[in-house]
Amino acid sequence: MDPLRRYIYVDGFNFYYGKLKNSSYKWLDLETFFTKSLKPNNQILKIKYFTARIDQNPRNPQAHNRQDIYLRALKTLPIVEVYFGKFLTQTVRLPLANGTGKVEVRKTEEKRSDVNIAVQMLKDGFKDLYDLAVLVSNDSDLTDALEVVSTDLGKKVGILNPQKNQSKELANHAFFSHKIQDRLLRESQFPETLRDSVGEFHMPVVWR
């Protein structure tokens, strides 16, 4: 059997909050991680990483700088492409749990990443660029895209799930579905110091 051509689609927001936020694995080399996570006889042609730029936040003033450093690290990997959605922050009134009234809170949502993932996965499938599309997400909003890829295009779909539970809707269209393993995250970190065309840069100190 010929090796499968693999494209990987990473929902950065879903991945981060499901698996990385409270871990020491944020300095993740995506190419190494997916090579370790998937069967070695199949070639990874492209990793598409979907995220949004973090706004400056007084409660976490260096978060956007850390994101910039990580995106710079990803650019050292030739097969990685980064696609940007956007964060939308607004003030909303929500009811208190005890039912005694409402309180104003600032609510931040990521917009467009699920649409961007669906568009890229479908476009690449129609162009016959892959045999196996691997989705790193547990967002059931992507179910329709997976159904088209698997049923109409006849492509295989795999899921690497960063969340505690697996979406049954996504799993229904998957050739395989695996939970992401902490051991492989730990074994797939960038070196603390990297170099690109601009010069040398380092992993954020708080991630060490």
Side-chain angles (χ1 to χ4, degrees), residues 24-29 66 69-70 72-74 76 186-196 199-208:
S24 57
Y25 309 136
K26 298 181 181 73
W27 194 231
L28 184 64
D29 179 332
R66 292 194 294 271
I69 293 171
Y70 183 63
R72 184 178 174 186
L74 290 183
T76 67
R186 183 172 61 251
E187 294 174 357
S188 304
Q189 299 296 294
F190 281 115
E192 286 194 8
T193 300
L194 292 172
R195 178 176 289 277
D196 59 14
E200 193 173 87
F201 62 104
H202 308 277
M203 176 175 70
V205 174
V206 297
W207 289 358
R208 296 177 186 176

Side-chain angles (χ1 to χ4, degrees), residues 24 50 161 181 192:
S24 57
F50 300 82
N161 177 22
Q181 299 180 40
E192 286 194 8

Side-chain angles (χ1 to χ4, degrees), residues 102-153:
K102 292 186 176 182
V103 63
E104 284 192 350
V105 299
R106 288 180 61 81
K107 184 179 180 182
T108 299
E109 297 177 293
E110 192 200 19
K111 297 293 185 182
R112 289 205 344 230
S113 278
D114 54 350
V115 174
N116 289 343
I117 292 170
V119 168
Q120 289 296 316
M121 189 180 293
L122 291 169
K123 183 176 75 172
D124 296 340
F126 277 109
K127 290 182 176 180
D128 191 30
L129 297 180
Y130 61 75
D131 304 305
L132 170 63
V134 179
L135 174 65
V136 184
S137 182
N138 197 40
D139 186 348
S140 60
D141 287 345
L142 293 165
T143 300
D144 289 345
L146 264 62
E147 182 177 8
V148 172
V149 168
S150 61
T151 302
D152 297 332
L153 300 183

Side-chain angles (χ1 to χ4, degrees), residues 38-89:
L38 302 169
K39 291 183 178 180
N41 62 323
N42 296 324
Q43 184 181 10
I44 298 174
L45 298 178
K46 191 73 67 178
I47 299 170
K48 298 194 173 187
Y49 182 80
F50 300 82
T51 188
R53 290 282 187 181
I54 297 173
D55 293 330
Q56 293 194 23
N57 185 337
R59 293 176 298 174
N60 193 0
Q62 294 303 315
H64 67 290
N65 290 332
R66 292 194 294 271
Q67 184 190 42
D68 286 343
I69 293 171
Y70 183 63
L71 293 173
R72 184 178 174 186
L74 290 183
K75 289 180 181 179
T76 67
L77 303 174
I79 66 172
V80 173
E81 294 179 356
V82 179
Y83 295 80
F84 292 102
K86 61 182 179 179
F87 284 112
L88 177 64
T89 301

